[in-house]
Amino acid sequence: MDVRQILQLLPHKPPFRLVDEVSLYIPGNKLEARFNPADYRDAFGGLDYVPIAILLEGLAQTGVLLTQLETAPLEEHEFPMLGTVRADIHRPVMWPETLVFMVKPYRLLTKSAVLHGTIQGSGGSPIAEAQLSVAVAKAELEGE
Amino acid sequence: MRPDLLRELPYKKPWIFVDRIISCIPSQQISTLKNITSSDFFLRGHFPSYSVFPGMLLLEGIKQSCELLVKLSGYEPEPEFLQAAQLQIRLLKPSLPGDTVVYSVKWTAEEDGRMLFSAEGKIEGVPSVRCTFRLAADAVRHSGRKEGTR
């Protein structure tokens, strides 16, 4: 699958889509994506720094993409759910900085995955490192 | 307890993830709540055909509860508060419109001088999220307010 098509697998939409583009996918190895948060500054609180929730959510959304690519795409009425996140946040991030999310599979199951991820600035400066688990849940629809 | 949250929290709407303070013991613990509704701004994208409150926004709600506890204890979070931290969060069940998440946050000092915030969120008494933050001791400073001492 072309890296330009991979983003179509992401069910998250604005104002909570935190991946702008997929820049690299090596099957069985890693996925790299980028996000420029500057346009969202007011919606995300308007302070000097990008909230850590946004940093980690962008990494998780990158993980949702990799999990689907390495297992199976989400089916109708399925949605991704984060499980556990353990993270070391190394430094604050200013808004003009482009974020580079990179995730690698640690353990893949049919409908879940444990991933290792890093966040860097566009110049390669480390921002955070995390281990996260992602699973697929079924939407509880009324009448079902 | 209804202090002006928009004054206590420095963020612009819609980045406010605490609706009310239930109780606070300065320098020790705080209990807050967040009501989740279908009209939440970020649920437009999470997801268009089904609403589930993002786990990382529960994290932000816990972080803002920590900030309120720090402020009501007579301290001021540094601008970099929680921008350099070790954290762990475990999401136990989806948070859906109609749910009220009640956060309980405890603040303790560790032997090495770092601060530890331990939090749990419950929906109707059932744990939905657990979280810990470890921060450097200089992540807060005295504000001169008299609400509490540490």
Side-chain angles (χ1 to χ4, degrees):
Chain A
M1 186 181 284
D2 187 285
V3 291
R4 286 167 297 186
Q5 295 175 303
I6 291 174
L7 200 54
Q8 295 172 10
L9 293 171
L10 192 63
H12 306 70
K13 305 297 179 198
F16 211 64
R17 172 175 277 207
L18 306 182
V19 174
D20 290 332
E21 63 168 321
V22 173
S23 45
L24 177 69
Y25 171 50
I26 301 175
N29 187 337
K30 66 179 175 181
L31 181 78
E32 186 181 281
R34 291 167 184 267
F35 178 59
N36 182 352
D39 291 344
Y40 290 87
R41 179 172 180 167
D42 276 354
F44 295 160
L47 297 190
D48 291 342
Y49 302 115
V50 181
I52 57 168
I54 294 304
L55 303 178
L56 295 176
E57 177 65 27
L59 188 66
Q61 292 185 13
T62 306
V64 168
L65 289 171
L66 180 65
T67 302
Q68 290 183 86
L69 289 164
E70 297 293 330
T71 59
L74 291 166
E75 296 176 8
E76 194 174 1
H77 304 316
E78 287 184 338
F79 65 92
M81 187 180 163
L82 264 177
T84 300
V85 179
R86 293 188 186 90
D88 280 324
I89 314 293
H90 305 312
R91 66 170 174 87
V93 176
M94 307 289 277
W95 293 97
E97 196 164 4
T98 297
L99 303 172
V100 180
F101 305 118
M102 197 274 288
V103 287
K104 291 186 168 191
Y106 182 73
R107 187 167 65 238
L108 294 170
L109 301 171
T110 309
K111 292 286 186 184
S112 64
V114 180
L115 308 164
H116 178 263
T118 60
I119 308 172
Q120 296 184 335
S122 49
S125 167
I127 294 169
E129 186 170 359
Q131 179 175 300
L132 56 160
S133 63
V134 179
V136 173
K138 195 90 171 170
E140 295 173 17
L141 302 177
E142 280 188 28
E144 292 189 357
Chain B
M1 207 177 162
R2 290 184 181 272
D4 183 353
L5 290 176
L6 293 178
R7 182 175 67 86
E8 297 291 352
L9 292 171
Y11 310 103
K12 292 180 181 175
K13 293 180 183 178
W15 198 255
I16 303 286
F17 297 105
V18 173
D19 290 330
R20 186 156 66 87
I21 296 172
I22 298 169
S23 65
C24 180
I25 302 174
S27 299
Q28 293 184 36
Q29 63 188 59
I30 192 169
S31 179
T32 62
L33 72 78
K34 161 70 180 161
N35 291 311
I36 294 169
T37 73
S38 295
S39 60
D40 255 296
F41 176 74
F42 294 103
L43 291 191
R44 288 194 304 184
H46 199 271
F47 302 92
S49 60
Y50 182 67
S51 293
V52 56
F53 196 73
M56 288 300 103
L57 296 188
L58 295 174
L59 174 73
E60 182 64 26
I62 291 170
K63 180 202 169 205
Q64 292 183 7
S65 299
C66 293
E67 291 182 74
L68 289 167
L69 175 55
V70 166
K71 287 195 166 192
L72 295 173
S73 300
Y75 288 77
E76 189 67 27
E78 292 289 351
E80 300 88 355
F81 184 73
L82 278 184
Q83 297 294 332
Q86 288 181 314
L87 72 91
Q88 179 169 333
I89 182 168
R90 188 168 178 214
L91 298 152
L92 304 168
K93 58 178 290 201
S95 302
L96 306 175
D99 288 341
T100 295
V101 184
V102 176
Y103 298 118
S104 300
V105 177
K106 292 180 180 174
W107 180 14
T108 55
E110 297 198 306
E111 287 183 1
D112 63 3
R114 290 189 302 176
M115 296 180 293
L116 173 67
F117 292 90
S118 307
E120 183 174 65
K122 290 183 176 179
I123 298 170
E124 295 181 342
V126 178
S128 61
V129 58
R130 292 195 178 106
C131 179
T132 58
F133 294 109
R134 279 194 170 77
L135 302 181
D138 60 0
V140 303
R141 59 180 161 78
H142 284 280
S143 65
R145 284 168 60 162
K146 293 180 180 177
E147 279 83 351
T149 57
R150 187 172 175 79

mmCIF file of all heavy atoms in Angstrom, chain A residues 11 73-81 111 135-144, chain B residues 47-52 94:
data_model
loop_
_atom_site.group_PDB
_atom_site.id
_atom_site.type_symbol
_atom_site.label_atom_id
_atom_site.label_comp_id
_atom_site.label_asym_id
_atom_site.label_seq_id
_atom_site.Cartn_x
_atom_site.Cartn_y
_atom_site.Cartn_z
ATOM 1 N N PRO A 11 -9.425 6.181 11.475
ATOM 2 C CA PRO A 11 -10.830 6.599 11.672
ATOM 3 C C PRO A 11 -10.962 7.971 12.331
ATOM 4 O O PRO A 11 -12.041 8.542 12.341
ATOM 5 C CB PRO A 11 -11.389 5.498 12.578
ATOM 6 C CG PRO A 11 -10.205 4.990 13.343
ATOM 7 C CD PRO A 11 -9.029 5.116 12.408
ATOM 8 N N PRO A 73 -7.536 -4.377 8.735
ATOM 9 C CA PRO A 73 -8.201 -3.075 8.858
ATOM 10 C C PRO A 73 -9.411 -3.168 9.788
ATOM 11 O O PRO A 73 -10.008 -4.240 9.934
ATOM 12 C CB PRO A 73 -8.648 -2.763 7.422
ATOM 13 C CG PRO A 73 -7.803 -3.615 6.552
ATOM 14 C CD PRO A 73 -7.504 -4.852 7.346
ATOM 15 N N LEU A 74 -9.748 -2.041 10.397
ATOM 16 C CA LEU A 74 -10.951 -1.981 11.238
ATOM 17 C C LEU A 74 -12.180 -2.318 10.406
ATOM 18 O O LEU A 74 -12.310 -1.873 9.260
ATOM 19 C CB LEU A 74 -11.100 -0.577 11.837
ATOM 20 C CG LEU A 74 -10.057 -0.168 12.881
ATOM 21 C CD1 LEU A 74 -10.121 1.342 13.122
ATOM 22 C CD2 LEU A 74 -10.291 -0.921 14.181
ATOM 23 N N GLU A 75 -13.080 -3.096 11.004
ATOM 24 C CA GLU A 75 -14.334 -3.396 10.320
ATOM 25 C C GLU A 75 -15.395 -2.380 10.734
ATOM 26 O O GLU A 75 -15.179 -1.567 11.639
ATOM 27 C CB GLU A 75 -14.773 -4.820 10.676
ATOM 28 C CG GLU A 75 -13.793 -5.876 10.181
ATOM 29 C CD GLU A 75 -14.166 -7.280 10.622
ATOM 30 O OE1 GLU A 75 -15.266 -7.465 11.187
ATOM 31 O OE2 GLU A 75 -13.349 -8.193 10.416
ATOM 32 N N GLU A 76 -16.540 -2.456 10.068
ATOM 33 C CA GLU A 76 -17.631 -1.537 10.390
ATOM 34 C C GLU A 76 -18.009 -1.710 11.864
ATOM 35 O O GLU A 76 -18.070 -2.841 12.370
ATOM 36 C CB GLU A 76 -18.837 -1.829 9.501
ATOM 37 C CG GLU A 76 -19.874 -0.718 9.537
ATOM 38 C CD GLU A 76 -20.998 -0.965 8.542
ATOM 39 O OE1 GLU A 76 -20.962 -1.989 7.852
ATOM 40 O OE2 GLU A 76 -21.911 -0.117 8.489
ATOM 41 N N HIS A 77 -18.278 -0.618 12.549
ATOM 42 C CA HIS A 77 -18.653 -0.587 13.968
ATOM 43 C C HIS A 77 -17.495 -0.953 14.902
ATOM 44 O O HIS A 77 -17.724 -1.167 16.086
ATOM 45 C CB HIS A 77 -19.858 -1.484 14.269
ATOM 46 C CG HIS A 77 -21.061 -1.168 13.434
ATOM 47 N ND1 HIS A 77 -21.469 0.124 13.196
ATOM 48 C CD2 HIS A 77 -21.916 -1.976 12.771
ATOM 49 C CE1 HIS A 77 -22.542 0.101 12.423
ATOM 50 N NE2 HIS A 77 -22.822 -1.153 12.139
ATOM 51 N N GLU A 78 -16.292 -1.045 14.394
ATOM 52 C CA GLU A 78 -15.133 -1.251 15.267
ATOM 53 C C GLU A 78 -14.404 0.076 15.439
ATOM 54 O O GLU A 78 -14.394 0.912 14.528
ATOM 55 C CB GLU A 78 -14.170 -2.284 14.667
ATOM 56 C CG GLU A 78 -14.670 -3.709 14.734
ATOM 57 C CD GLU A 78 -13.641 -4.717 14.218
ATOM 58 O OE1 GLU A 78 -12.741 -4.331 13.447
ATOM 59 O OE2 GLU A 78 -13.750 -5.896 14.589
ATOM 60 N N PHE A 79 -13.809 0.250 16.616
ATOM 61 C CA PHE A 79 -12.999 1.446 16.833
ATOM 62 C C PHE A 79 -11.768 1.065 17.659
ATOM 63 O O PHE A 79 -11.794 0.080 18.408
ATOM 64 C CB PHE A 79 -13.809 2.554 17.527
ATOM 65 C CG PHE A 79 -14.250 2.229 18.915
ATOM 66 C CD1 PHE A 79 -13.482 2.574 20.016
ATOM 67 C CD2 PHE A 79 -15.449 1.564 19.145
ATOM 68 C CE1 PHE A 79 -13.893 2.277 21.306
ATOM 69 C CE2 PHE A 79 -15.871 1.259 20.423
ATOM 70 C CZ PHE A 79 -15.093 1.621 21.509
ATOM 71 N N PRO A 80 -10.688 1.821 17.511
ATOM 72 C CA PRO A 80 -9.473 1.501 18.273
ATOM 73 C C PRO A 80 -9.555 2.041 19.688
ATOM 74 O O PRO A 80 -10.140 3.099 19.929
ATOM 75 C CB PRO A 80 -8.376 2.210 17.480
ATOM 76 C CG PRO A 80 -9.065 3.348 16.818
ATOM 77 C CD PRO A 80 -10.486 2.926 16.570
ATOM 78 N N MET A 81 -8.993 1.295 20.624
ATOM 79 C CA MET A 81 -8.992 1.735 22.017
ATOM 80 C C MET A 81 -7.603 1.549 22.599
ATOM 81 O O MET A 81 -7.003 0.474 22.470
ATOM 82 C CB MET A 81 -10.006 0.910 22.814
ATOM 83 C CG MET A 81 -10.186 1.435 24.222
ATOM 84 S SD MET A 81 -11.370 0.455 25.149
ATOM 85 C CE MET A 81 -10.968 0.963 26.816
ATOM 86 N N LYS A 111 -6.412 -8.827 17.192
ATOM 87 C CA LYS A 111 -7.118 -7.549 17.316
ATOM 88 C C LYS A 111 -6.452 -6.627 18.337
ATOM 89 O O LYS A 111 -7.126 -5.791 18.944
ATOM 90 C CB LYS A 111 -8.571 -7.801 17.737
ATOM 91 C CG LYS A 111 -9.435 -8.479 16.678
ATOM 92 C CD LYS A 111 -9.794 -7.512 15.562
ATOM 93 C CE LYS A 111 -10.784 -8.165 14.589
ATOM 94 N NZ LYS A 111 -11.086 -7.281 13.449
ATOM 95 N N ALA A 135 -5.988 -1.823 21.139
ATOM 96 C CA ALA A 135 -6.893 -2.948 20.878
ATOM 97 C C ALA A 135 -8.072 -2.461 20.052
ATOM 98 O O ALA A 135 -8.296 -1.257 19.908
ATOM 99 C CB ALA A 135 -7.393 -3.542 22.198
ATOM 100 N N VAL A 136 -8.799 -3.400 19.498
ATOM 101 C CA VAL A 136 -10.001 -3.070 18.729
ATOM 102 C C VAL A 136 -11.216 -3.375 19.588
ATOM 103 O O VAL A 136 -11.308 -4.453 20.184
ATOM 104 C CB VAL A 136 -10.050 -3.901 17.425
ATOM 105 C CG1 VAL A 136 -11.377 -3.681 16.704
ATOM 106 C CG2 VAL A 136 -8.878 -3.525 16.536
ATOM 107 N N ALA A 137 -12.140 -2.422 19.664
ATOM 108 C CA ALA A 137 -13.381 -2.614 20.423
ATOM 109 C C ALA A 137 -14.563 -2.501 19.470
ATOM 110 O O ALA A 137 -14.461 -1.910 18.392
ATOM 111 C CB ALA A 137 -13.483 -1.573 21.534
ATOM 112 N N LYS A 138 -15.665 -3.059 19.877
ATOM 113 C CA LYS A 138 -16.884 -3.027 19.065
ATOM 114 C C LYS A 138 -17.793 -1.934 19.602
ATOM 115 O O LYS A 138 -18.040 -1.874 20.810
ATOM 116 C CB LYS A 138 -17.589 -4.387 19.174
ATOM 117 C CG LYS A 138 -18.640 -4.620 18.127
ATOM 118 C CD LYS A 138 -18.040 -5.271 16.897
ATOM 119 C CE LYS A 138 -19.149 -5.700 15.935
ATOM 120 N NZ LYS A 138 -18.598 -6.119 14.644
ATOM 121 N N ALA A 139 -18.286 -1.076 18.717
ATOM 122 C CA ALA A 139 -19.204 -0.020 19.147
ATOM 123 C C ALA A 139 -20.501 -0.628 19.654
ATOM 124 O O ALA A 139 -21.039 -1.548 19.038
ATOM 125 C CB ALA A 139 -19.491 0.914 17.977
ATOM 126 N N GLU A 140 -20.986 -0.113 20.791
ATOM 127 C CA GLU A 140 -22.270 -0.567 21.335
ATOM 128 C C GLU A 140 -23.354 0.330 20.754
ATOM 129 O O GLU A 140 -23.564 1.442 21.226
ATOM 130 C CB GLU A 140 -22.266 -0.473 22.860
ATOM 131 C CG GLU A 140 -21.268 -1.411 23.504
ATOM 132 C CD GLU A 140 -21.168 -1.181 25.006
ATOM 133 O OE1 GLU A 140 -22.068 -0.544 25.570
ATOM 134 O OE2 GLU A 140 -20.175 -1.627 25.598
ATOM 135 N N LEU A 141 -24.008 -0.151 19.708
ATOM 136 C CA LEU A 141 -25.004 0.668 19.035
ATOM 137 C C LEU A 141 -26.381 0.431 19.631
ATOM 138 O O LEU A 141 -26.710 -0.682 20.033
ATOM 139 C CB LEU A 141 -25.030 0.341 17.537
ATOM 140 C CG LEU A 141 -23.678 0.544 16.826
ATOM 141 C CD1 LEU A 141 -23.788 0.135 15.379
ATOM 142 C CD2 LEU A 141 -23.211 1.981 16.945
ATOM 143 N N GLU A 142 -27.193 1.504 19.672
ATOM 144 C CA GLU A 142 -28.547 1.370 20.224
ATOM 145 C C GLU A 142 -29.357 0.379 19.409
ATOM 146 O O GLU A 142 -29.249 0.319 18.186
ATOM 147 C CB GLU A 142 -29.254 2.728 20.212
ATOM 148 C CG GLU A 142 -28.833 3.606 21.370
ATOM 149 C CD GLU A 142 -29.676 4.860 21.444
ATOM 150 O OE1 GLU A 142 -30.833 4.808 21.008
ATOM 151 O OE2 GLU A 142 -29.158 5.872 21.930
ATOM 152 N N GLY A 143 -30.134 -0.435 20.099
ATOM 153 C CA GLY A 143 -30.997 -1.389 19.421
ATOM 154 C C GLY A 143 -30.338 -2.715 19.139
ATOM 155 O O GLY A 143 -30.960 -3.607 18.594
ATOM 156 N N GLU A 144 -29.042 -2.819 19.494
ATOM 157 C CA GLU A 144 -28.342 -4.092 19.256
ATOM 158 C C GLU A 144 -28.151 -4.840 20.554
ATOM 159 O O GLU A 144 -28.144 -4.261 21.602
ATOM 160 C CB GLU A 144 -26.996 -3.858 18.579
ATOM 161 C CG GLU A 144 -27.134 -3.351 17.162
ATOM 162 C CD GLU A 144 -25.788 -3.337 16.442
ATOM 163 O OE1 GLU A 144 -24.756 -3.664 17.060
ATOM 164 O OE2 GLU A 144 -25.779 -3.011 15.251
ATOM 165 N N PHE B 47 -15.573 9.420 17.237
ATOM 166 C CA PHE B 47 -15.347 9.315 15.799
ATOM 167 C C PHE B 47 -16.600 9.846 15.112
ATOM 168 O O PHE B 47 -17.638 9.983 15.779
ATOM 169 C CB PHE B 47 -15.081 7.860 15.423
ATOM 170 C CG PHE B 47 -13.896 7.282 16.161
ATOM 171 C CD1 PHE B 47 -14.054 6.610 17.359
ATOM 172 C CD2 PHE B 47 -12.600 7.464 15.667
ATOM 173 C CE1 PHE B 47 -12.965 6.098 18.040
ATOM 174 C CE2 PHE B 47 -11.522 6.942 16.349
ATOM 175 C CZ PHE B 47 -11.688 6.262 17.537
ATOM 176 N N PRO B 48 -16.599 10.132 13.826
ATOM 177 C CA PRO B 48 -17.778 10.738 13.200
ATOM 178 C C PRO B 48 -19.056 9.917 13.374
ATOM 179 O O PRO B 48 -20.128 10.479 13.569
ATOM 180 C CB PRO B 48 -17.374 10.827 11.721
ATOM 181 C CG PRO B 48 -15.884 10.916 11.754
ATOM 182 C CD PRO B 48 -15.449 10.042 12.907
ATOM 183 N N SER B 49 -18.969 8.587 13.339
ATOM 184 C CA SER B 49 -20.182 7.769 13.398
ATOM 185 C C SER B 49 -20.392 7.107 14.759
ATOM 186 O O SER B 49 -21.361 6.373 14.952
ATOM 187 C CB SER B 49 -20.131 6.690 12.314
ATOM 188 O OG SER B 49 -18.994 5.864 12.512
ATOM 189 N N TYR B 50 -19.491 7.360 15.689
ATOM 190 C CA TYR B 50 -19.612 6.756 17.018
ATOM 191 C C TYR B 50 -18.804 7.605 17.980
ATOM 192 O O TYR B 50 -17.678 7.989 17.670
ATOM 193 C CB TYR B 50 -19.078 5.315 16.996
ATOM 194 C CG TYR B 50 -19.208 4.602 18.332
ATOM 195 C CD1 TYR B 50 -20.451 4.294 18.858
ATOM 196 C CD2 TYR B 50 -18.076 4.235 19.054
ATOM 197 C CE1 TYR B 50 -20.579 3.643 20.070
ATOM 198 C CE2 TYR B 50 -18.187 3.572 20.272
ATOM 199 C CZ TYR B 50 -19.439 3.281 20.778
ATOM 200 O OH TYR B 50 -19.558 2.634 21.974
ATOM 201 N N SER B 51 -19.372 7.893 19.149
ATOM 202 C CA SER B 51 -18.689 8.783 20.090
ATOM 203 C C SER B 51 -18.078 8.007 21.241
ATOM 204 O O SER B 51 -18.787 7.303 21.967
ATOM 205 C CB SER B 51 -19.685 9.810 20.653
ATOM 206 O OG SER B 51 -20.111 10.684 19.641
ATOM 207 N N VAL B 52 -16.784 8.140 21.396
ATOM 208 C CA VAL B 52 -16.094 7.608 22.571
ATOM 209 C C VAL B 52 -15.046 8.643 22.970
ATOM 210 O O VAL B 52 -14.317 9.163 22.122
ATOM 211 C CB VAL B 52 -15.483 6.214 22.299
ATOM 212 C CG1 VAL B 52 -14.541 6.238 21.116
ATOM 213 C CG2 VAL B 52 -14.766 5.666 23.533
ATOM 214 N N PRO B 94 -14.182 2.081 27.931
ATOM 215 C CA PRO B 94 -14.488 3.298 27.167
ATOM 216 C C PRO B 94 -15.350 4.263 27.981
ATOM 217 O O PRO B 94 -16.199 3.840 28.765
ATOM 218 C CB PRO B 94 -15.267 2.770 25.952
ATOM 219 C CG PRO B 94 -14.972 1.313 25.877
ATOM 220 C CD PRO B 94 -14.721 0.870 27.297
#
